[in-house]
Amino acid sequence: MATTAMVVSPLATQSSSKNKRRLFAEARQNSLQKLSVIFDHGNKNGNGGETTWCFSQVKGTLEDDVTEADLISCVEFNHDGELLATGDKGGRVVIFQRDPASKQCVPKKGEYNVYSTFQSHEPEFDYLKSLEIEEKINKIRWLKRKNQAHFLLSTNDKTIKLWKVSERDKRVTGYNTREEGGRLRHPSRVTQLRVPTVRPAELMVEASPRRIFANAHTYHINSISLNSDQETYLSADDLRINLWHLEITDQSFNIVDIKPANMEELTEVITAAEFHPTECNLFVYSSSKGTIRLCDMRAAALCDRHAKLFEEPEDPHARSFFSEIISSISDVKLSNSGRDYLGLKVWDLRMETKPVETYPVHEYLRSKLCSLYENDCIFDKFECCWSGDDQRLMTGSYNGFFRIFERGGAGGAGAGAGGAGAAARRGELTLEASRDAAARPRQPLRARRVATTAKRKKDEISVDCLDFNKKILHTAWHPHESVIAVAATNNLFIFQDKF
């Protein structure tokens, strides 16, 4: 807890002890009031401290016939939440900008308009390995803004690109050697010297590649993460993690390598990696065996020895054929959380023995693991994200459902059953990104519940009726406001708090 320091002037030392006690009491009261504001900030919203989510917008056509290239593969807000970027399987990046009018109106609205669209990656073919390289965008990461332009990193399976997104609302006219159309003017037609002038023009948003980082990964890139120094970043594939400098494209440093000498001895792969948000020397990476490793680059150039290992002991009585598959961590985010197939876990960097909080996401699917294994859904990689104040967590599920957890609620006490009863616990919320939500703008979203038994209530859906083709894999939370973006197949749903 913060302490209050008081600076006393020479005149103050001459006051009576009674006045001193009164001043001390007032200072202490002010300090307590400040602490109360800090702890309560973000929880008071006129609805008893609970957020009421409502539909704001949906991007993309709400049609059943969807092409593979239009499926959204990643979602990312920039650092101030003014821009929201999505990548799809067709290699395109679409950037949405916050509508200025939506911020000024009362109450605020989380509305975004298309700002720029560009083709980030094209399909390629590796002739040496006879492999096709998909154009699908795996990850997008924004750089902090330093000037009028915006910069972002995008990657497919093999190549990372640094893009500059800038505006141009002026044009130069009155060239001496060129016509207005841009063609070169014959020297014989230049009869006088003119001073070019700058005139207003229609706003144009241009996206241009500034750097291309290639030929450093043998396996598919699954993660990129910017360092807090804003000069370096890491990229991870199944077996290696590389460290790059944003200004150097032809050289990277290998900082993690778990590839064994004999590939038959391979027991795990890297599933996600991320830098610490403030300590530039620390990063974490997760594995398919359900472990999270914290590495310190100050210890050695090659971080083959981790500084800390976060692993939850396995219950031998609960072990099954699917235990190793469902324990694989699909995403890791700092403040430090990890998402496996059935649940969301929050770890404290100071405690390695077990997670401090565990949130069952869709525990009701444990009885369906055989079917999920047969249709390959058990290998789906769900991302997780933090709210801007680190008090809430969000991740996706099936049937168009996504889960929001209030930290400190009943859901974080331990691994619960995860059925209809568990979903009704305080602090847990299951919502749906669907056409019904889009048809009811500004109306509060109805909480959804999944029934695990034959007897179900009117507002519940049976676990046997879940649509596993409608999966929410990618979500993003506005860094400062209660505005969330949820990718559902080819649609981007934006929800906001009903202030």
Side-chain angles (χ1 to χ4, degrees):
M1 180 178 291
T3 57
T4 303
M6 297 180 63
V7 179
V8 183
S9 67
L11 293 175
T13 59
Q14 300 175 9
S15 62
S16 65
S17 60
K18 183 177 180 181
N19 289 336
K20 287 182 180 179
R21 287 195 298 270
R22 179 177 57 81
L23 291 172
F24 180 78
E26 289 178 355
R28 183 175 180 274
Q29 184 66 25
N30 291 335
S31 176
L32 290 174
Q33 288 177 353
K34 290 178 181 178
L35 288 173
S36 177
V37 170
I38 292 173
F39 289 133
D40 292 341
H41 179 68
N43 293 325
K44 294 183 178 180
N45 52 20
N47 192 27
E50 295 183 1
T51 301
T52 302
W53 294 99
C54 64
F55 171 81
S56 177
Q57 281 179 300
V58 61
K59 305 295 184 180
T61 58
L62 293 171
E63 298 178 358
D64 294 328
D65 188 14
V66 179
T67 59
E68 183 78 9
D70 292 334
L71 298 180
I72 297 174
S73 55
C74 57
V75 184
E76 187 78 7
F77 279 103
N78 72 337
H79 291 84
D80 59 7
E82 290 299 301
L83 298 179
L84 173 61
T86 65
D88 61 27
K89 289 191 173 183
R92 296 181 296 268
V93 172
V94 181
I95 301 175
F96 301 92
Q97 184 182 44
R98 183 77 175 268
D99 186 356
S102 70
K103 295 189 298 180
Q104 303 299 327
C105 64
V106 179
K108 288 184 179 180
K109 298 179 181 179
E111 295 183 352
Y112 287 77
N113 300 321
V114 175
Y115 180 65
S116 177
T117 303
F118 59 92
Q119 187 73 30
S120 175
H121 288 72
E122 300 281 355
E124 301 176 31
F125 189 81
D126 188 338
Y127 291 96
L128 294 177
K129 298 181 180 179
S130 297
L131 291 175
E132 291 185 3
I133 302 174
E134 290 184 342
E135 65 270 34
K136 184 187 83 166
I137 307 298
N138 292 336
K139 294 290 180 182
I140 291 175
R141 292 291 180 263
W142 289 94
L143 279 68
K144 287 187 178 179
R145 193 175 186 183
K146 297 181 179 179
N147 51 40
Q148 293 299 315
H150 299 274
F151 290 86
L152 62 85
L153 287 169
S154 64
T155 182
N156 65 350
D157 289 339
K158 297 293 183 182
T159 305
I160 306 165
K161 295 183 180 182
L162 174 65
W163 290 88
K164 177 183 178 181
V165 182
S166 57
E167 297 181 355
R168 189 172 67 180
D169 58 357
K170 295 179 176 62
R171 63 186 181 94
V172 179
T173 61
Y175 286 105
N176 289 286
T177 59
R178 292 182 183 178
E179 304 287 352
E180 294 300 327
R183 293 182 302 173
L184 289 176
R185 180 179 295 172
H186 194 273
S188 62
R189 299 185 58 187
V190 180
T191 58
Q192 59 181 354
L193 183 64
R194 296 187 297 177
V195 178
T197 57
V198 179
R199 294 183 179 180
E202 185 179 354
L203 177 65
M204 291 182 59
V205 180
E206 299 176 330
S208 56
R210 308 298 291 178
R211 305 280 188 275
I212 297 178
F213 308 88
N215 304 321
H217 285 278
T218 305
Y219 306 96
H220 292 176
I221 298 172
N222 55 46
S223 300
I224 53 175
S225 177
L226 274 158
N227 201 343
S228 59
D229 60 14
Q230 293 293 304
E231 293 182 356
T232 57
Y233 73 94
L234 65 78
S235 59
D237 63 23
D238 293 339
L239 299 179
R240 294 187 177 95
I241 299 177
N242 293 333
L243 179 67
W244 299 83
H245 194 285
L246 287 168
E247 299 294 330
I248 303 173
T249 61
D250 59 353
Q251 187 180 36
S252 64
F253 297 94
N254 181 227
I255 54 177
V256 172
D257 189 348
I258 65 171
K259 182 180 180 180
N262 183 1
M263 287 296 286
E264 294 182 357
E265 299 175 358
L266 182 67
T267 59
E268 63 179 336
V269 295
I270 298 169
T271 56
E274 184 168 83
F275 265 119
H276 192 282
T278 57
E279 302 293 334
C280 62
N281 54 287
L282 298 178
F283 68 94
V284 296
Y285 69 92
S286 58
S287 79
S288 58
K289 294 183 74 173
T291 61
I292 300 175
R293 291 175 172 87
L294 174 70
C295 298
D296 190 341
M297 292 190 293
R298 296 173 298 182
L302 181 64
C303 300
D304 51 355
R305 294 184 180 180
H306 51 265
K308 288 190 175 185
L309 174 67
F310 304 91
E311 183 177 16
E312 187 176 19
E314 182 184 6
D315 183 1
H317 301 290
R319 184 169 179 81
S320 67
F321 171 78
F322 305 104
S323 297
E324 199 168 305
I325 301 175
I326 64 176
S327 66
S328 176
I329 296 176
S330 60
D331 193 26
V332 59
K333 290 287 194 305
L334 284 166
S335 300
N336 198 30
S337 73
R339 164 75 201 265
D340 61 23
Y341 185 69
L342 293 178
L344 191 65
K345 299 173 183 177
V346 178
W347 295 82
D348 190 332
L349 289 178
R350 296 164 294 185
M351 187 173 73
E352 306 168 59
T353 54
K354 62 179 181 179
V356 293
E357 298 166 16
T358 300
Y359 301 93
V361 177
H362 40 223
E363 187 71 20
Y364 45 78
L365 295 180
R366 190 173 290 275
S367 61
K368 302 290 182 182
L369 293 179
C370 288
S371 301
L372 295 167
Y373 180 77
E374 292 174 357
N375 61 18
D376 287 342
C377 285
I378 200 170
F379 301 105
D380 288 335
K381 294 183 178 294
F382 293 92
E383 294 180 359
C384 57
C385 65
W386 290 85
S387 63
D389 57 5
D390 287 342
Q391 295 304 307
R392 288 170 289 181
L393 295 154
M394 178 171 61
T395 189
S397 184
Y398 294 105
N399 205 69
F401 292 167
F402 59 97
R403 306 291 309 278
I404 296 177
F405 301 93
E406 295 277 349
R407 295 191 62 201
R425 291 178 299 183
R426 179 176 177 81
E428 295 187 23
L429 193 61
T430 302
L431 303 173
E432 184 179 7
S434 66
R435 298 180 184 179
D436 294 339
R440 300 168 60 242
R442 305 298 171 195
Q443 297 297 314
L445 296 179
R446 292 180 297 178
R448 305 303 304 267
R449 295 181 176 87
V450 179
T452 56
T453 61
K455 295 182 180 179
R456 61 184 181 91
K457 298 179 181 179
K458 183 179 180 181
D459 59 342
E460 293 178 345
I461 181 173
S462 172
V463 66
D464 297 319
C465 299
L466 296 177
D467 188 346
F468 293 103
N469 292 319
K470 296 179 179 178
K471 56 190 76 173
I472 305 295
L473 301 178
H474 314 287
T475 57
W477 202 303
H478 191 287
H480 307 300
E481 299 179 21
S482 293
V483 177
I484 57 177
V486 177
T489 59
N490 68 315
N491 298 124
L492 179 68
F493 287 86
I494 299 175
F495 303 96
Q496 69 174 73
D497 181 12
K498 189 175 183 180
F499 298 98

